[in-house]
Amino acid sequence: MKQMNFLRNALLSLAVLVTVGCSTVPITGRRQVSLVSDQEVMQMSLQAYREMMSQSKLSNNAQQTAMVKRVGQRIQQAVETYMRQQGASDQLAGYQWEFNLIDDPKQQNAFAMAGGKTAVYTGLLPITQDETGLAVVMGHEIAHVIAKHVNERISQQMLAEAGGGVIGAATGQGGATSQVVNVAYGIGAGVGMMKFGRTQESEADRLGLIFMAMAGYNPEAALTFWKRMDAASGWQSQPEILSTHPSNQTRIADIQKHLPEAKKYYSGR
């Protein structure tokens, strides 16, 4: 009887958390579970970012590094403009934007963390090919941050751990913080973007197209980029039903649907 009461109370507590702890994704309007504050996520992300960067080698290619910073800054300005237009600039409070190029030719990857810390691996540049291709990736990664997908993933982990075990561990010392954040971001995913869920990936594609368009990059470049990514994935691709990502083919089809919306924000430069 006591066990049943405990279980009932635990389920009720989780239900209250889910009901109260919700937020809305900009642009898409999707409701998402949010049981952890932006401040907590930014604090954990910053610590994990510092640990990661201390173990990484920055590229000494001045031209490529300048390109990453230039693209990042243009998308940053687009995001800040969009959020200001929506009266949501407060959601960017505490952001300390930073854009780096990590020298690792084997990593075809990029990431952005809460607070605006963003990095691209040199192994991805042969696939992005040019500045516009790079804007596709950086727009997508930054969109994950603006949509608070990491907050959502950590919240999902908290629910899976019966409410609070994950975030509690992250407040400790040692590698707990980086472990929680790395799981939330999916760092170490190898080829392709970070491993968010399919809904989150598709959402980041849509928002990323808008942000890159506002930054003056032609969003149609996303189609050719993902075709190149599909070719680069090769044998490592797996059936969509077995993956947290939409397949590249599904992603391309979705991007085609979202292009008319994104083009409304594109004026060229």
Side-chain angles (χ1 to χ4, degrees), residues 56-114:
S56 301
K57 176 186 175 184
L58 292 179
S59 171
N60 58 12
N61 187 310
Q63 185 176 2
Q64 292 179 343
T65 298
M67 178 175 64
V68 168
K69 293 183 182 299
R70 181 169 60 250
V71 173
Q73 289 165 1
R74 284 174 61 172
I75 293 178
Q76 172 191 343
Q77 291 171 4
V79 168
E80 290 173 344
T81 297
Y82 179 85
M83 298 300 276
R84 184 171 60 251
Q85 291 173 347
Q86 300 301 311
S89 294
D90 60 312
Q91 293 189 29
L92 300 179
Y95 270 53
Q96 298 176 16
W97 295 90
E98 188 175 319
F99 309 100
N100 285 306
L101 178 62
I102 298 175
D103 185 8
D104 188 343
K106 294 182 179 180
Q107 279 273 16
Q108 297 172 313
N109 221 330
F111 66 83
M113 289 188 172

Side-chain angles (χ1 to χ4, degrees), residues 211-233:
F211 293 149
M212 70 175 290
M214 289 183 68
Y217 297 105
N218 188 346
E220 290 184 345
L223 293 173
T224 53
F225 166 77
W226 282 108
K227 288 175 182 176
R228 292 195 298 270
M229 180 62 82
D230 187 41
S233 299

Side-chain angles (χ1 to χ4, degrees), residues 5-15:
N5 288 334
F6 174 80
L7 180 59
R8 186 183 300 110
N9 291 335
L11 290 173
L12 285 172
S13 298
L14 289 176

Side-chain angles (χ1 to χ4, degrees), residues 56-212:
S56 301
K57 176 186 175 184
L58 292 179
S59 171
N60 58 12
N61 187 310
Q63 185 176 2
Q64 292 179 343
T65 298
M67 178 175 64
V68 168
K69 293 183 182 299
R70 181 169 60 250
V71 173
Q73 289 165 1
R74 284 174 61 172
I75 293 178
Q76 172 191 343
Q77 291 171 4
V79 168
E80 290 173 344
T81 297
Y82 179 85
M83 298 300 276
R84 184 171 60 251
Q85 291 173 347
Q86 300 301 311
S89 294
D90 60 312
Q91 293 189 29
L92 300 179
Y95 270 53
Q96 298 176 16
W97 295 90
E98 188 175 319
F99 309 100
N100 285 306
L101 178 62
I102 298 175
D103 185 8
D104 188 343
K106 294 182 179 180
Q107 279 273 16
Q108 297 172 313
N109 221 330
F111 66 83
M113 289 188 172
K117 304 299 185 185
T118 308
V120 176
Y121 291 91
T122 54
L124 190 62
L125 296 184
I127 302 176
T128 59
Q129 292 188 354
D130 55 25
E131 188 167 327
T132 304
L134 184 60
V136 175
V137 176
M138 296 184 72
H140 173 96
E141 294 302 323
I142 290 171
H144 275 305
V145 173
I146 301 306
K148 300 184 181 181
H149 288 160
V150 172
N151 304 47
E152 187 175 14
R153 287 205 67 187
I154 292 176
S155 298
Q156 290 166 347
Q157 291 179 63
M158 289 172 66
L159 291 174
E161 294 292 331
V166 170
I167 200 69
T171 59
Q173 300 298 317
T177 295
S178 58
Q179 182 179 0
V180 169
V181 175
N182 287 354
V183 170
Y185 283 102
I187 290 173
V191 175
M193 305 299 105
M194 298 295 119
K195 284 190 175 179
F196 290 94
R198 294 186 205 175
T199 297
Q200 294 164 332
E201 286 292 330
S202 296
E203 200 164 53
D205 283 339
R206 180 183 172 187
L207 271 64
L209 287 174
I210 291 173
F211 293 149
M212 70 175 290

